[in-house]
Amino acid sequence: MTAREREIVSLATRGLSNLEISARLVISVRTVEGHILRAGQRLGVRGRTGLAAAVWGDTPAFEDE
C-alpha cells in the first residue's frame, strides 16, 4: 500500500466515516473511497472489516460498539 492508503485505512478502521476522513485530510470523499477500494484490492479483502483484519489482525473497535 502507499503511504496515503495506509493513512486512510488506519483512519477508516478506527471508525471514521469517509466524510470525516475527507474533512480531516482535506481531500474529496471520492478520493477516500478510491484509496480504501485500492487498499482492499491490494490486500485481497473487502470492506472495512476485512481491512481491519488484514492490517490489525482483528476486527475494528467500531463494530463492537
Side-chain angles (χ1 to χ4, degrees):
M1 283 191 294
T2 67
R4 190 61 149 185
E5 286 170 349
R6 282 192 303 275
E7 179 179 26
I8 291 171
V9 165
S10 176
L11 295 171
T13 60
R14 286 183 168 87
L16 274 70
S17 69
N18 291 352
L19 182 61
E20 291 168 327
I21 295 168
S22 69
R24 183 177 286 196
L25 301 179
V26 192
I27 58 177
S28 74
V29 173
R30 184 69 184 114
T31 299
V32 172
E33 292 168 353
H35 281 303
I36 291 172
L37 176 68
R38 282 187 297 282
Q41 289 172 338
R42 289 177 198 257
L43 296 172
V45 298
R46 295 180 67 166
R48 290 171 190 249
T49 303
L51 283 170
V55 172
W56 306 115
D58 59 8
T59 57
F62 64 88
E63 283 196 343
D64 296 335
E65 296 177 355

